[in-house]
Amino acid sequence: VTVSVIVCNCITPDPPVLDIASQTVCDGDIIAAFNATAAAGMEIRWYFGGALVGTGATFTPTQAGTYTLTAFDTVEGCESTPVSATLDILPLPVADFSLAANTCLGDAVSIAFTGSASATAIYTWDFGADATPATATGSANQSVSWSSSGIKTVTLTIDDNGCIHTLSLTIAVSDVSASISPSEITIDQGQSVLLEVTATSGFSSHFRSSWPL
């Protein structure tokens, strides 16, 4: 019987050193590469879920989770103990709300939040010029009126753990007024008269119509 004894003289390499061990980004943001250094002659290996996903000093992750990396001695076949690099991807909030296309001056308009965010999100409303209230916070439905006519812009910004989404919608506020001329007249039976109605608004538009009676 022949017994062979294989002596392994491989010295476990020092593990690689990361520039940063973790990063947190918002969904859709650019993900920065992890950078690591190891002793001369060592190959840096990157693993995710137990599978080798890359080699080299720089690695850009593609999905959230914990990656491990080692220093591998390609000559002796020895590998260091692993170190971890973690990527967290936070979901973006959705700043969405319903808003009527138009309203009349002074009338209250209901604005309903229809988006989504976490329980800790911060909501900031801006209802535009001459609005009451001018601003608000929170996800509850809002009731707003305006004291001047024109196109008003309503903006909602949500900050959810540093991930920010903003939506702006417009509403037309009208202050239409009408007058009839003549406002009072006495005529004889069978006599005809021309009545003229004029309507104006803060949008600088005029409407005029006449009816013979």
Side-chain angles (χ1 to χ4, degrees):
V1 176
T2 301
V3 177
S4 298
V5 178
I6 300 175
V7 179
C8 180
N9 295 318
C10 185
I11 299 174
T12 302
D14 291 330
V17 177
L18 281 162
D19 59 345
I20 55 171
S22 66
Q23 60 173 310
T24 300
V25 299
C26 300
D27 192 15
D29 285 355
I30 295 174
I31 300 173
F34 286 114
N35 297 291
T37 56
M42 298 295 108
E43 177 185 74
I44 298 176
R45 294 186 168 185
W46 301 83
Y47 298 89
F48 186 72
L52 180 66
V53 291
T55 60
T58 300
F59 177 77
T60 302
T62 58
Q63 55 185 309
T66 299
Y67 296 76
T68 57
L69 60 155
T70 62
F72 183 74
D73 186 336
T74 58
V75 176
E76 300 293 339
C78 298
E79 197 164 12
S80 73
T81 56
V83 294
S84 297
T86 302
L87 171 65
D88 289 324
I89 300 178
L90 302 178
L92 274 177
V94 178
D96 199 6
F97 57 93
S98 62
L99 179 66
N102 51 70
T103 187
C104 293
L105 191 70
D107 287 356
V109 173
S110 179
I111 303 174
F113 174 67
T114 57
S116 61
S118 75
T120 58
I122 299 172
Y123 301 76
T124 303
W125 296 87
D126 185 331
F127 301 116
D130 301 320
T132 301
T135 60
T137 59
S139 61
N141 291 355
Q142 306 293 328
S143 180
V144 185
S145 62
W146 288 268
S147 60
S148 65
S149 62
I151 303 298
K152 308 298 182 178
T153 300
V154 176
T155 301
L156 170 62
T157 299
I158 303 179
D159 184 338
D160 198 348
N161 295 310
C163 298
I164 298 173
H165 187 219
T166 298
L167 175 67
S168 294
L169 298 177
T170 59
I171 182 172
V173 180
S174 175
D175 61 346
V176 174
S177 60
S179 62
I180 187 168
S181 178
S183 60
E184 183 177 340
I185 189 172
T186 300
I187 63 173
D188 296 329
Q189 185 175 359
Q191 184 180 358
S192 64
V193 65
L194 186 68
L195 297 180
E196 184 176 79
V197 175
T198 302
T200 61
S201 79
F203 294 106
S204 298
S205 61
H206 299 267
F207 170 77
R208 181 172 293 164
S209 184
S210 301
W211 296 273
L213 296 176

